[in-house]
Amino acid sequence: QVQLQESGPGLVKPSQTLSLTCSVSGASISSGYYFWTWIRQPAGKGLEWIGRIYSRGSTTYSPSLKSRVTLSLDTSKNQVSLKLNSVTAADTAIYYCARGEWPLHSLDIWGQGTMVTASS
Amino acid sequence: QSVLTQPPSTSGTPGQRVTISCSGSSSNIGGNTVDWYQQLPGTAPKLLIYTTNQRPSGVPDRFSGSKSGTSASLAISGLQSEDEADYYCATWDDSLIGVIFGGGTKLTVL
């Protein structure tokens, strides 16, 4: 049974870098045609796609966040990382990681999400 | 404002059939399959429908999806109280080169 668990600081100061980790159990992040996606959801609002990274390491980012986002794989720890720099209050949200499988874009397994607040 | 347009809310009574629409364009729904996600209060989204009309294992056949042109729909028949949730459509956008979500529809079971 594949499970995803997001973790990271719940509070980030404006202008600093938000760093989150998605720990994957029950599957290898570097095998098959899987990709690992980050999505965020501000309180009371809808879902926003941040980007995805394939098991071989290639990435696709949302155009609106592309200049500030970096996704990476740590195969030794079986973790997927998200870094978002120059954060502002608008980046305050619940951040989810989720799994998909090429060639589909659907996300069949989600983590429970982690709340991040950008505030001084 | 989302590229995919969903009604903000809808409602129905137990046993009723409801539909939720998702309107897009030729660069997204028109040329790609659509997924639907259900988000129960306080929980992570769950995949409900994938590739427009397929149900993952464990999803009741009361839920169905369809697409026509640049619009997609989610239908829920035999409405139950536990269906009360937010529903999101999603698809790939060829112009934006990324996944886009609808704004979400809050379903209330009266």
Side-chain angles (χ1 to χ4, degrees):
Chain A
Q1 181 182 355
V2 179
Q3 293 184 313
L4 284 62
Q5 177 70 58
E6 305 88 346
S7 61
L11 182 64
V12 181
K13 288 182 167 52
S15 81
Q16 294 193 341
T17 297
L18 178 162
S19 296
L20 296 176
T21 297
C22 176
S23 298
V24 179
S25 60
S28 170
I29 62 172
S30 60
S31 67
Y33 294 99
Y34 295 118
F35 56 84
W36 309 91
T37 298
W38 286 92
I39 303 99
R40 69 181 182 179
Q41 184 175 36
K45 296 189 177 181
L47 303 170
E48 180 183 15
W49 187 80
I50 297 172
R52 67 188 184 192
I53 183 166
Y54 280 84
S55 57
R56 299 292 185 264
S58 61
T59 55
T60 306
Y61 300 126
S62 165
S64 64
L65 296 170
K66 188 174 185 177
S67 62
R68 299 194 292 131
V69 173
T70 302
L71 301 186
S72 60
L73 302 176
D74 185 336
T75 55
S76 66
K77 296 180 180 179
N78 215 41
Q79 294 176 337
V80 184
S81 294
L82 162 69
K83 291 189 185 302
L84 179 67
N85 57 37
S86 305
V87 301
T88 70
D91 296 311
T92 295
I94 296 174
Y95 285 74
Y96 297 100
C97 64
R99 186 193 79 168
E101 185 173 11
W102 185 87
L104 307 179
H105 51 69
S106 51
L107 302 171
D108 61 345
I109 300 175
W110 292 64
Q112 66 184 28
T114 187
M115 179 68 200
V116 178
T117 301
S119 174
S120 55
Chain B
Q1 192 166 347
S2 303
V3 176
L4 301 180
T5 302
Q6 295 182 238
S9 63
T10 190
S11 63
T13 56
Q16 195 175 13
R17 181 178 187 272
V18 298
T19 61
I20 298 172
S21 62
C22 176
S23 178
S25 68
S26 58
S27 67
N28 42 69
I29 292 178
N32 296 285
T33 59
V34 179
D35 305 317
W36 289 90
Y37 297 90
Q38 177 193 59
Q39 187 175 32
L40 298 171
T43 69
K46 166 192 167 186
L47 182 62
L48 196 64
I49 297 288
Y50 67 98
T51 58
T52 303
N53 56 17
Q54 301 298 304
R55 286 185 307 276
S57 174
V59 173
D61 60 7
R62 302 187 295 106
F63 296 90
S64 62
S66 63
K67 186 182 91 166
S68 178
T70 58
S71 292
S73 292
L74 172 70
I76 309 172
S77 61
L79 198 61
Q80 299 180 4
S81 58
E82 54 261 41
D83 298 333
E84 191 161 285
D86 293 324
Y87 293 85
Y88 295 90
C89 59
T91 188
W92 182 264
D93 190 289
D94 296 324
S95 297
L96 296 174
I97 312 179
V99 170
I100 52 174
F101 287 96
T105 298
K106 182 176 183 60
L107 170 63
T108 300
V109 181
L110 302 171

